[in-house]
Amino acid sequence: MANTQLVNDRYVQMFESNMGPQLMAYMQDEKITEIMLNPDGHVWIDTQDQGLVESPITMSASTAKQLIYNVGSLAGRVVPADFPELEAEIPASRLFSSCRFQGELPPIVKAPSFNIRKFGKKLFTLDDYVAQGTMTEVQRQTIMTAIREHKNIIAAGGTASGKTTLLNAILAEISQMNERIVIIEDTSELRCSAPNHVKLQTAPPKMDMDMLLRITLRKSPNRIVVGEVRSKEAMTLLEAWSTGHRGGCCTVHSESAYDTLSRLEELTSRVSMTPQKETVGRAVDVVVYLRKKVTKRVVEDIILVKGYNKQTGDYDTEKIG
């Protein structure tokens, strides 16, 4: 155990060395949510107060390559030679909180490139969302009612719209109930304070989200929470949600609240030859849609899904102001 810690400490020191003092300062700055290196060697940052900004920092291709391999070692992941990309979690250190890392190497890019998405230290509550103007009191009450009534909730939105942060706020409310929660993620971003919970994390290539969902159904969950639904696991989750495991939540990448339902149809079509509109309409109860507006994230829409109407060929929904 001591030897493992020494090895991890050495990898962390190598990571800090490759990043350099300026980028390490960005890692510690809570106003900076993402650090991005483009193949041209220029570093961009996404900030809470200014939005997307080009920094004065550059990184050489050799240093970036070393950093990507170093993160792989730190996370216990191998960068495949035939498809040189790395998706991993950078564990928290004495200087920064845990982060999500995505890196690529040639030939899929001209030169090494990476994104570091920082996980916020502060856990926002639904009350915080109202106080900072991210959502209205009516929207908060709608979400709280859905939680109490064991409705299935989807936090939807585009890239960096705050889906996971909202899911954590919803999970914080769920955690106050005396229930068993099973959480499934690719990278460990969700926080759960419930005394009776289990967190499962994918282990590519064999242990994917769909496999973990099937394991989850044998672990007697009251609520099933999925970090992000992005592939064939959508079918398994929707079936679980509509057959005795209501009250779960997840995130979905989509263009609008209503488009979230179409997105789920698309994902289920990867494993089903027949349209799954009725399954989607039966499983999904609430869609909370977030949008990023330069320096602010807001809940743009909430729709209540009341099922799929065969006569109209559309979903019956109600928009909440």
Side-chain angles (χ1 to χ4, degrees):
M1 188 70 176
N3 288 338
T4 301
Q5 186 59 50
L6 286 173
V7 170
N8 286 341
D9 288 345
R10 185 164 68 249
Y11 286 139
V12 169
Q13 290 171 4
M14 291 169 61
F15 173 80
E16 294 171 1
S17 175
N18 287 331
M19 289 287 281
Q22 289 178 299
L23 286 182
M24 284 307 300
Y26 288 166
M27 290 291 288
Q28 297 171 68
D29 188 339
E30 293 190 18
K31 290 182 180 179
I32 296 174
T33 58
E34 191 162 3
I35 301 170
M36 295 159 272
L37 173 73
N38 289 342
D40 63 6
H42 288 266
V43 173
W44 291 71
I45 55 175
D46 199 357
T47 68
Q48 293 178 352
D49 53 351
Q50 300 179 64
L52 195 60
V53 177
E54 183 177 7
S55 82
I57 302 171
T58 59
M59 180 180 286
S60 70
S62 59
T63 299
K65 181 179 179 180
Q66 290 175 2
L67 187 141
I68 290 171
Y69 279 112
N70 178 232
V71 171
S73 299
L74 187 59
R77 298 277 179 95
V78 175
V79 181
D82 57 341
F83 189 68
E85 67 88 28
L86 175 69
E87 180 181 353
E89 179 185 350
I90 303 175
S93 78
R94 69 188 188 285
L95 296 178
F96 54 85
S97 57
S98 58
C99 312
R100 185 168 65 195
F101 184 89
Q102 175 63 50
E104 304 84 30
L105 293 167
I108 62 175
V109 285
K110 286 188 175 181
S113 173
F114 63 75
N115 283 53
I116 300 175
R117 177 78 62 82
K118 296 164 60 182
F119 303 154
K121 293 182 179 180
K122 177 176 171 57
L123 181 62
F124 289 95
T125 66
L126 295 181
D127 287 335
D128 290 332
Y129 275 95
V130 175
Q132 65 191 17
T134 302
M135 70 172 61
T136 66
E137 176 59 25
V138 171
Q139 290 171 332
R140 188 193 74 85
Q141 288 289 350
T142 299
I143 296 171
M144 288 299 299
T145 298
I147 292 171
R148 287 192 296 267
E149 295 181 355
H150 267 248
K151 303 294 186 181
N152 298 319
I153 305 171
I154 295 180
T159 302
S161 58
K163 301 184 293 295
T164 302
T165 304
L166 176 60
L167 197 63
N168 266 320
I170 293 171
L171 189 54
E173 298 292 344
I174 292 174
S175 295
Q176 297 180 39
M177 302 177 180
N178 185 26
E179 296 180 324
R180 179 170 172 78
I181 304 167
V182 179
I183 301 168
I184 303 169
E185 298 180 272
D186 279 324
T187 54
S188 184
E189 298 179 70
L190 297 178
R191 306 178 198 176
C192 184
S193 59
N196 188 2
H197 79 274
V198 177
K199 294 187 73 172
L200 303 175
Q201 191 167 334
T202 57
K206 293 184 179 181
M207 196 60 67
D208 60 11
M209 298 287 276
D210 189 55
M211 180 64 72
L212 292 183
L213 265 169
R214 296 178 188 279
I215 292 173
T216 295
L217 297 177
R218 298 193 290 271
K219 296 186 73 64
S220 304
N222 294 118
R223 298 188 191 246
I224 300 172
V225 178
V226 178
E228 182 178 0
V229 176
R230 66 177 80 167
S231 190
K232 63 181 181 179
E233 70 272 3
M235 188 72 191
T236 306
L237 178 63
L238 293 175
E239 287 179 342
W241 273 4
S242 59
T243 56
H245 295 91
R246 301 201 74 86
C249 50
C250 72
T251 72
V252 172
H253 192 109
S254 65
E255 297 299 321
S256 70
Y258 187 87
D259 177 64
T260 305
L261 305 177
S262 301
R263 174 68 174 152
L264 289 171
E265 290 176 27
E266 176 193 336
L267 295 177
T268 57
S269 70
R270 299 181 185 182
V271 292
S272 173
M273 296 296 291
T274 57
Q276 295 297 315
K277 292 178 179 288
E278 291 184 56
T279 303
V280 173
R282 186 168 59 248
V284 180
D285 298 306
V286 181
V287 179
V288 182
Y289 189 79
L290 297 120
R291 188 174 295 280
K292 181 182 179 183
K293 296 185 176 181
V294 186
T295 61
K296 189 175 182 179
R297 294 164 175 81
V298 297
V299 174
E300 185 174 76
D301 282 317
I302 295 182
I303 60 171
L304 307 182
V305 184
K306 301 181 179 180
Y308 176 72
N309 191 321
K310 290 183 180 180
Q311 292 183 331
T312 63
D314 204 353
Y315 296 99
D316 288 333
T317 62
E318 176 187 347
K319 185 175 179 178
I320 303 298

